[in-house]
């Protein structure tokens, strides 16, 4: 069985969690998804599916109708970043390794997406554009010489490309340097946004303007200005600056607040190992704290890939899927409480993941 992409370790994985590129495309001679008439959405799905079947590795793709997914399946798809939360019609075409996917009739007729662990922009670009170029042999996309690819949102027109890089920036957060990087990103027409929501459960910090677990997404602001080359070059330059800044911040934190760093790690590990219930927000902070320990060489017995995979394993949809497909004996007082069963299973997942951790201090 192929290991999930998010359990693998990519380049610069101490700072960069994942790299993703999306390509927005629409079929010529059809209105945008919001304006589709009776039967047109099914016609588009059929055309797109035929296009994917014609790919060199077309047998590795499967089509999933959103309407046929139950609530748990929809949650898992959203948690994996395969679609948005309000995607209720259309479908997803997914490669068996989860690295390549395509939504059909979401905001655009197609959104071709490729993802990889670590700082792998060139790799994901090559995957997305390979699928795009092969599809264009079978499908005519809506485009013009003046505006490039045409989309329902002007921000997605032009190259039709969106860049999304997930980073872990705990020491820049501790030193309160995130706002300056948000301003820099905005100046360069990018956005630095929270990945799992704002605030914190208290391990790394709290308050407005902080990101849960210090996980951030560097997202391109739009694809209507500049070529694909220019947009990728801008993302790479910004990402490199943040990688270097975070590593410099770690040196500063080690020299000026190492006891506080160790306290973050000890508290998080204690909660993970002794709790009966763990909320989703707490789990993100705990995983972040253990990642800090790994990056500071304070622990052994876990990898960057293990921690990245945990970010998906502790999500509500994933836990509900496991509960629905397994046999568990819960304490009598929570047997009929779905939220508490999720929190109980999450605590067990963390405890098992950190079972072999050894402090190296």
């Amino acid at each position: 069985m192929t290991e999930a992409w998010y359990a693998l370790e990519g380049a610069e994985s101490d700072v960069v969690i994942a790299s993703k590129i999306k390509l927005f495309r629409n079929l010529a001679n059809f209105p945008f998804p919001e304006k589709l008439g009776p039967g047109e959405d099914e016609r588009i799905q059929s055309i797109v599916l035929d296009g994917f079947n014609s790919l060199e590795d077309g047998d590795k793709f499967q089509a999933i109708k959103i309407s046929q997914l139950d609530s748990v399946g929809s949650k898992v798809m959203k948690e994996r970043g395969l679609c948005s939360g309000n995607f209720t019609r259309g479908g997803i075409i997914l490669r068996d390794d989860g690295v390549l996917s395509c939504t059909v009739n979401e905001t655009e007729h197609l959104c071709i997406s490729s993802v990889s662990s670590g700082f792998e922009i060139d790799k994901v670009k090559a995957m997305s554009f390979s699928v795009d170029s092969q599809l264009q042999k079978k499908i005519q996309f809506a485009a013009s010489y003046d505006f490039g690819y045409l989309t329902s949102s002007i921000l997605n027109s032009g190259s039709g490309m969106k860049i999304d890089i997930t980073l872990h920036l705990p020491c820049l957060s501790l030193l309160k340097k995130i706002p300056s990087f948000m301003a820099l990103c905005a100046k360069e027409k990018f956005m630095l946004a929270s990945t799992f929501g704002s605030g914190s459960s208290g391990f790394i910090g709290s308050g407005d303007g902080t990101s849960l677990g210090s996980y951030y997404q560097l997202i391109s602001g739009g694809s209507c200005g500049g070529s694909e080359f220019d947009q990728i070059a801008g993302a790479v330059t910004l990402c490199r600056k943040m990688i270097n800044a975070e590593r410099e911040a770690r040196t500063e934190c080690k020299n000026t607040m190492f006891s506080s760093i160790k306290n973050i790690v000890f508290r998080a590990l204690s909660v993970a190992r002794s709790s009966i219930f763990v909320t989703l927000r707490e789990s993100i902070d705990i995983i972040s704290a253990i990642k800090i320990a790994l990056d500071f060489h304070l622990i052994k017995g876990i990898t960057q890939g293990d921690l990245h995979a945990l970010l998906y394993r502790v999500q509500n949809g994933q836990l509900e899927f496991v509960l629905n497909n397994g046999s568990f004996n819960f304490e009598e007082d929570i047997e009929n409480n779905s939220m508490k069963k999720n929190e109980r299973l999450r605590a067990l997942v963390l405890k098992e993941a950190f079972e072999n951790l050894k402090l190296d201090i």
Side-chain angles (χ1 to χ4, degrees):
M1 184 176 178
T2 304
E3 193 169 12
W5 70 265
Y6 49 78
L8 304 175
E9 196 166 315
E12 319 289 6
S13 59
D14 60 316
V15 179
V16 182
I17 305 299
S19 304
K20 178 184 286 187
I21 280 184
K22 296 179 179 180
L23 299 178
F24 298 101
R25 301 288 188 260
N26 286 287
L27 276 62
N29 304 316
F30 283 94
F32 295 131
E34 285 189 359
K35 302 293 184 180
L36 289 173
E40 287 184 316
D41 55 347
E42 293 289 342
R43 176 61 179 151
I44 289 170
Q45 290 181 55
S46 177
I47 292 171
V48 174
L49 184 57
D50 285 345
F52 271 87
N53 286 334
S54 72
L55 298 183
E56 295 171 356
D57 57 351
D59 59 327
K60 295 182 179 180
F61 288 87
Q62 62 173 322
I64 304 166
K65 278 195 172 183
I66 291 297
S67 61
Q68 294 177 349
L69 290 174
D70 59 17
S71 60
V72 174
S74 295
K75 282 184 184 178
V76 171
M77 290 293 173
K78 180 183 175 183
E79 290 166 0
R80 299 287 172 89
L82 296 173
C83 65
S84 63
N86 57 0
F87 188 26
T88 57
R89 71 172 188 175
I92 299 172
I93 299 174
L94 181 64
R95 203 168 76 176
D96 53 16
D97 58 2
V99 168
L100 277 161
S101 64
C102 177
T103 57
V104 184
N105 290 333
E106 192 176 14
T107 57
E108 314 295 344
H109 294 154
L110 291 85
C111 175
I112 304 163
S113 177
S114 59
V115 63
S116 174
S117 287
F119 191 29
E120 302 283 4
I121 288 296
D122 287 340
K123 177 180 176 181
V124 294
K125 176 195 171 186
M127 288 191 291
S128 287
F129 277 90
S130 174
V131 171
D132 179 54
S133 63
Q134 291 181 67
L135 288 177
Q136 292 201 43
K137 296 175 182 177
K138 299 283 289 185
I139 302 172
Q140 183 181 356
F141 292 140
S144 77
Y145 287 107
D146 293 327
F147 299 105
Y149 291 104
L150 303 180
T151 63
S152 61
S153 169
I154 192 169
L155 291 177
N156 293 333
S157 298
S159 69
M161 181 178 70
K162 191 166 191 176
I163 303 166
D164 186 338
I165 304 171
T166 306
L167 304 109
H168 187 231
L169 307 173
C171 290
L172 286 176
S173 298
L174 284 168
L175 297 175
K176 303 187 186 304
K177 294 184 178 182
I178 294 295
S180 63
F181 276 96
M182 287 183 168
L184 174 62
C185 290
K187 183 180 177 181
E188 299 297 329
K189 298 182 180 179
F190 282 78
M191 178 172 61
L192 191 62
S194 299
T195 300
F196 299 107
S198 62
S200 167
S201 61
F203 292 111
I204 299 174
S206 59
D208 295 337
T210 61
S211 178
L212 184 61
S214 296
Y215 291 100
Y216 290 88
Q217 285 176 275
L218 176 65
I219 306 171
S220 54
S223 56
C224 55
S227 66
E228 292 97 336
F229 177 85
D230 294 332
Q231 291 162 21
I232 288 176
V236 169
T237 299
L238 275 175
C239 192
R240 282 286 176 200
K241 285 181 179 178
M242 282 187 277
I243 291 171
N244 294 334
E246 171 62 24
R247 288 172 179 166
E248 290 173 3
R250 291 175 187 179
T251 299
E252 183 177 345
C253 286
K254 188 170 185 178
N255 292 335
T256 62
M257 53 190 304
F258 196 43
S259 294
S260 295
I261 295 292
K262 290 192 288 186
N263 185 58
I264 289 169
V265 173
F266 292 160
R267 288 183 62 228
L269 193 54
S270 176
V271 170
R273 283 177 165 172
S274 61
S275 294
I276 294 174
F277 303 113
V278 178
T279 68
L280 177 57
R281 291 181 63 84
E282 287 173 332
S283 68
I284 298 299
D285 257 359
I286 288 168
I287 295 166
S288 173
I290 301 306
K291 180 164 167 47
I292 292 172
L294 184 62
D295 294 332
F296 274 78
H297 307 291
L298 298 177
I299 58 169
K300 294 179 179 178
I302 200 163
T303 67
Q304 300 283 3
D306 293 334
L307 292 172
H308 189 192
L310 267 181
L311 292 172
Y312 291 89
R313 292 177 60 201
V314 300
Q315 298 293 324
N316 287 320
Q318 178 64 30
L319 293 175
E320 289 173 28
F321 177 81
V322 172
L323 287 171
N324 290 345
N325 291 276
S327 179
F328 299 90
N329 294 316
F330 289 103
E331 292 81 352
E332 188 175 331
D333 59 338
I334 67 167
E335 185 61 44
N336 297 315
N337 188 323
S338 58
M339 183 183 75
K340 284 300 179 184
K341 285 199 292 187
N342 259 21
E343 293 180 358
R344 182 72 179 110
L345 181 55
R346 187 179 289 114
L348 293 172
V349 167
L350 291 175
K351 192 174 295 185
E352 179 188 34
F354 301 150
E355 185 178 11
N356 297 320
L357 278 189
K358 293 182 181 179
L359 291 171
D360 189 22
I361 299 178

